[in-house]
Amino acid sequence: PKPTRAPVPHIHRMDPTATTNSSSMSTTTPVRRTPAKSLRLALPISADTRAIIERETGLDCPTSAELPTELDLSGCEDLVNVSTLGQLHSLDLFRCPLVCDVSALGQVDTLSLALCPGIRDVSALGGVRELSLYGCTGVSDVSALGTVHALDLRHCTGVSDVSALAGVHTLLLDYCAGVRDVRALGAVHKLSLRNCTGLIDVSALGSVHTLDLSHCKAVTDVSMLGGVKELSLCGCEGVTDFSAVP
C-alpha cells in the first residue's frame, strides 16, 4: 500500500477561456478558442525508470512523449532517475528516498518532493507553480524559490533564510525552528509559521491576509497585526495583550 502523502497546497485556477465582461466579445463573429498544445520532446526514459512507471501505472513509456500529463510515483523507494519527467504537468514523488537530482523538474506545474531526504539542491525549481518540499531536511538554500506560487517548506529544519520568498502567495513554514527573521514576508497572502520556536519579531506581518502563529512561544508582541484578516495565536503563551488583533 502507498503511504499517505503530504498535501501540496491547492490553488484555484480560473478558466483562461472565461470572460468577465460579455460586452468585450464580438457580437458578429464568434471566437473559437483551441487550447494550445505544448510540444513534448521524445527523451528516452532509462530502463529502470521505465519499468517503475509501468509497474505503477500499467503504461509502457519508452520516451517522455508517451507519458501522461500527470504521474504519481509516490512511495517508489527504488526510483532514482527522474531526468526525463520534466515535461509533466503534475508529478508526485512523495517519499522517494533515492531521488536526489531534481534539476530537470523546473517546468513541472505541480510537484511534490515531500519526504525525499536525498534532495539538497532546489535551485532549478523556481519555475514550479505549486511545490511541496515537506520534510526535506537536506534543503537549506531556498533563495531560488521566490517565484513559486504555493510553497510547502514544513519540517524543512535546514531552512533559516527566507528573505527571498517575499513573492510567494502561499507559504508554509511550520516547524522550521531556524526561521527567525520574517521581515521580508509581509506581502505573502497566506503564511503559516506554526511551531517556529525561534521566531520573536512578527511586527512586519500586519499585511498578511491569513497568518498562523500557533505555538510560537517566543512571540510576545502582536500589536502590529491588526490588519491581518485571519489570525491564529493558539498556544502563544507569551502573548498577553490581544487588544490590537481581530
Side-chain angles (χ1 to χ4, degrees), residues 178-195:
V179 173
R180 291 174 170 81
D181 185 352
V182 293
R183 288 175 295 175
L185 304 182
V188 175
H189 181 79
K190 180 177 180 180
L191 178 60
S192 183
L193 294 162
R194 294 172 61 93
N195 285 280

Side-chain angles (χ1 to χ4, degrees), residues 151-209:
L151 180 59
D152 186 352
L153 294 174
R154 290 176 295 166
H155 294 273
C156 289
T157 52
V159 171
S160 57
D161 183 357
V162 293
S163 59
L165 304 181
V168 177
H169 178 277
T170 299
L171 180 58
L172 309 181
L173 291 167
D174 304 359
Y175 293 92
C176 291
V179 173
R180 291 174 170 81
D181 185 352
V182 293
R183 288 175 295 175
L185 304 182
V188 175
H189 181 79
K190 180 177 180 180
L191 178 60
S192 183
L193 294 162
R194 294 172 61 93
N195 285 280
C196 287
T197 53
L199 186 60
I200 298 175
D201 184 3
V202 295
S203 60
L205 304 181
S207 296
V208 174
H209 181 277

Side-chain angles (χ1 to χ4, degrees), residues 19-26:
T19 57
T20 57
N21 185 353
S22 59
S23 64
S24 64
M25 295 185 65
S26 170

Side-chain angles (χ1 to χ4, degrees), residues 80-160:
V80 177
N81 187 352
V82 296
S83 61
T84 52
L85 305 183
Q87 299 179 79
L88 296 172
H89 179 79
S90 175
L91 177 60
D92 191 344
L93 298 177
F94 168 63
R95 195 168 281 170
C96 292
L98 299 184
V99 171
C100 298
D101 184 358
V102 293
S103 59
L105 304 181
Q107 297 305 311
V108 176
D109 182 82
T110 303
L111 177 61
S112 176
L113 298 172
L115 296 177
C116 291
I119 295 175
R120 286 169 171 75
D121 184 358
V122 294
S123 59
L125 302 182
V128 177
R129 179 172 169 80
E130 300 179 14
L131 176 61
S132 176
L133 294 170
Y134 177 100
C136 291
T137 54
V139 173
S140 57
D141 184 357
V142 293
S143 59
L145 304 181
T147 52
V148 175
H149 189 75
L151 180 59
D152 186 352
L153 294 174
R154 290 176 295 166
H155 294 273
C156 289
T157 52
V159 171
S160 57

Side-chain angles (χ1 to χ4, degrees), residues 3-73:
T4 302
R5 73 188 69 177
V8 178
H10 175 71
I11 303 300
H12 174 73
R13 293 179 179 82
M14 294 182 64
D15 181 355
T17 65
T19 57
T20 57
N21 185 353
S22 59
S23 64
S24 64
M25 295 185 65
S26 170
T27 58
T28 56
T29 305
V31 177
R32 181 180 180 182
R33 292 192 174 102
T34 303
K37 294 183 179 179
S38 58
L39 297 177
R40 281 194 181 185
L41 298 176
L43 304 174
I45 299 175
S46 70
D48 289 345
T49 301
R50 178 179 174 181
I52 292 170
I53 293 172
E54 185 172 9
R55 181 188 71 204
E56 296 297 312
T57 68
L59 302 174
D60 183 19
C61 303
T63 75
S64 57
E66 282 80 43
L67 289 170
T69 58
E70 300 183 359
L71 189 58
D72 182 354
L73 298 177

